[in-house]
Amino acid sequence: MSQAANIQTELAGRRIVLGLTGGVACYKAAALCRALTGAGAAVRVVMTDAACQFITPVTMQALSGHPVFTSPWDARPDDGMAHIHISRDADAIVVAPASADFIARLAQGRASDLLSLLCLARPAERVPLLLAPAMNREMWAHPATQRNLRQTVDDGAHVLSVAYGAQACGEIGAGRMLEADQLLEEVIAFFAPKSLLGQRVLITAGPTFEAIDPVRGLSNRSSGKMGFALARAAREAGAQVTLIAGPVALPTPALVERIDVQSALDMRAAVLAHVDAASVFIATAAVADWRPTQYAAHKIKKDGSDQPPALALAENPDILAEVARSPRARAGQLYCVGFAAESGDLLANAQAKRERKGVPLLVGNLGPETFGRDDNVLLLVDEHGATELPRASKRQLAQQLVTDIARRVAGVVA
Ligand code: C5P
């Protein structure tokens, strides 16, 4: 299945009220509306008067496929109570952009416009409120705004982070609204079951690069996609995630701490520096088996002798096996998961590798067929036998694997 096909189902059946308040970031709300409906959500849009100065309700009607509400005096509902009906069957209200003024109104429990009115009138225990702030950096940093934000959090709102960067006003700082795809990720994460809440997950991903000289090196074809998908899924499941990544060109999943490394020795050092704080270690990295014994400080030149340089290689340390042998792993305080990319006889190779590495769970896949692809088939091998996770996107497989690991960590037999 392609990743695009998978994305369409991520919010299937969810009903979302998308609120827009006054800010230049309203243009991003149009893309967000599209992203939400594209992910399968049914979206109803509510806009404040100020939002209508930045983008028209017609645009949002076209994108959501439903009429937009802007006024508490809207005569369309039979009983005139738009503020009640809109929120009653919603799974969440997402206010994006949430202006400083709107946040101040929420903090005071005001109800002077339809959006603040319906936020106040929502059944808070079953209709969560997500705020995506958007404002100038000075407004963001102002103690009044920060005080109001804390108040909205105390009152049950879920405040999303802001981005740092160039602002519409020409200044540079914190306060930009997240991009539409990031907001979509946040909404999906919000709904994910929190099966790894309280866990600290350390993940290695991607290839390593073993430098020969300043321009050449030994590496492999690992794209890092599986490890990055696992980092995202683990964070969505409530874990605190640290991702140690070899050289890959993938964006960092939201709220994941990323440490970039090059060589296997760098990766080992980063793992050892972070593993004591972890309760789960997932080694998806395709660590190079060998590294050149010598690094040439300058580019090795052809000398016309027709004699290629002899490369002496040394074996790299096995990071996973080393961590799995550590006292915390042996005492059951650190759950270790390994991966194996094989080119055939998956079951036997994965079983042997599980024993050799000393890990409770080893995830096998057929290497050359999966490198760089968005989908895969996984074979989960533990002491009892093997279970297949059939072909699906790496995103879906990561979600399934995280659920499986959470069960194992909790001591529930998978
Ligand atoms: O031995 P092999 O490379 O096939 O083992 C794969 C598993 O071991 C993966 O989980 C990989 O991340 C881990 N590994 C490691 N350090 C190495 C080699 C592999 O952590 N030097």
Side-chain angles (χ1 to χ4, degrees):
M1 187 188 293
S2 75
Q3 202 136 11
N6 173 34
I7 291 280
Q8 296 207 337
T9 62
E10 295 246 14
L11 292 176
R14 299 282 185 195
R15 287 165 304 222
I16 293 180
V17 174
L18 176 60
L20 278 65
T21 70
V24 180
C26 276
Y27 78 91
K28 296 185 191 173
L32 173 61
C33 183
R34 223 190 158 130
L36 290 169
T37 56
V43 180
R44 295 282 182 284
V45 177
V46 177
M47 297 171 67
T48 63
D49 286 345
C52 296
Q53 298 290 326
F54 291 92
I55 186 171
T56 70
V58 176
T59 301
M60 297 308 292
Q61 178 174 355
L63 291 172
S64 66
H66 295 283
V68 171
F69 283 81
T70 57
S71 163
W73 316 119
D74 196 306
R76 277 172 290 179
D78 286 344
D79 59 3
M81 295 205 193
H83 64 289
I84 301 293
H85 302 302
I86 294 172
S87 73
R88 284 303 177 268
D89 69 347
D91 292 307
I93 300 173
V94 180
V95 181
S99 67
D101 182 61
F102 185 75
I103 292 165
R105 266 180 279 158
L106 278 183
Q108 290 185 1
R110 300 184 76 88
S112 49
D113 65 279
L114 177 60
L115 188 57
S116 56
L117 173 59
L118 76 86
C119 288
L120 192 65
R122 81 187 198 284
E125 68 295 345
R126 63 180 168 84
V127 184
L129 174 62
L130 280 70
L131 304 176
M135 64 198 75
N136 162 270
R137 66 189 175 113
E138 300 292 0
M139 295 167 78
W140 173 253
H142 197 286
T145 303
Q146 293 301 318
R147 185 171 66 236
N148 289 334
L149 279 166
R150 280 194 300 276
Q151 185 63 60
T152 61
V153 170
D154 285 351
D155 293 344
H158 182 83
V159 178
L160 303 176
S161 55
V162 290
Y164 180 97
Q167 305 199 306
C169 51
E171 297 180 0
I172 296 175
R176 279 169 60 96
M177 188 168 83
L178 297 178
E179 301 302 319
D181 55 345
Q182 295 171 311
L183 290 172
L184 174 67
E185 213 176 290
E186 291 292 338
V187 173
I188 291 170
F190 183 81
F191 286 121
K194 300 292 173 266
S195 58
L196 283 178
L197 198 63
Q199 301 292 339
R200 294 172 74 122
V201 178
L202 181 65
I203 300 176
T204 63
T208 63
F209 182 85
E210 313 296 327
I212 296 170
D213 67 19
V215 295
R216 306 186 185 91
L218 300 176
S219 192
N220 59 65
R221 290 173 52 212
S222 166
S223 67
K225 285 180 180 173
M226 194 67 227
F228 275 61
L230 274 168
R232 178 179 167 190
R235 177 255 152 171
E236 288 174 352
Q240 217 173 304
V241 180
T242 302
L243 175 62
I244 299 177
V248 292
L250 291 174
T252 311
L255 300 185
V256 164
E257 181 196 11
R258 173 174 177 173
I259 298 158
D260 285 319
V261 296
Q262 291 283 318
S263 69
L265 293 181
D266 296 343
M267 185 171 275
R268 176 179 176 273
V271 167
L272 295 185
H274 289 84
V275 77
D276 284 346
S279 53
V280 179
F281 176 54
I282 310 176
T284 71
V287 183
D289 287 326
W290 301 284
R291 66 180 182 280
T293 50
Q294 300 270 326
Y295 172 74
H298 296 286
K299 184 179 173 190
I300 302 171
K301 300 279 190 196
K302 283 180 284 190
D303 60 8
S305 66
D306 206 20
Q307 289 293 311
L311 273 186
L313 300 177
E315 194 167 315
N316 274 324
D318 190 319
I319 305 167
L320 175 62
E322 184 175 346
V323 169
R325 276 195 308 268
S326 68
R328 287 186 65 244
R330 283 169 178 261
Q333 296 159 1
L334 175 68
Y335 190 85
C336 294
V337 182
F339 267 69
E342 303 294 343
S343 55
D345 207 356
L346 188 54
L347 179 60
N349 279 320
Q351 273 168 335
K353 194 157 287 179
R354 190 186 83 83
E355 304 255 322
R356 211 165 52 241
K357 304 269 175 181
V359 293
L361 178 64
L362 191 114
V363 182
N365 62 150
L366 287 173
E369 287 149 40
T370 179
F371 288 143
R373 286 183 58 131
D374 287 331
D375 62 357
N376 201 356
V377 180
L378 299 181
L379 191 68
L380 275 51
V381 178
D382 64 13
E383 60 176 330
H384 303 295
T387 320
E388 189 185 90
L389 297 184
R391 183 163 296 282
S393 68
K394 287 182 177 173
R395 163 87 177 131
Q396 282 174 314
L397 290 170
Q399 289 166 317
Q400 292 168 26
L401 189 54
V402 158
T403 305
D404 185 276
I405 291 171
R407 266 197 251 118
R408 292 170 191 269
V409 170
V412 180
V413 180

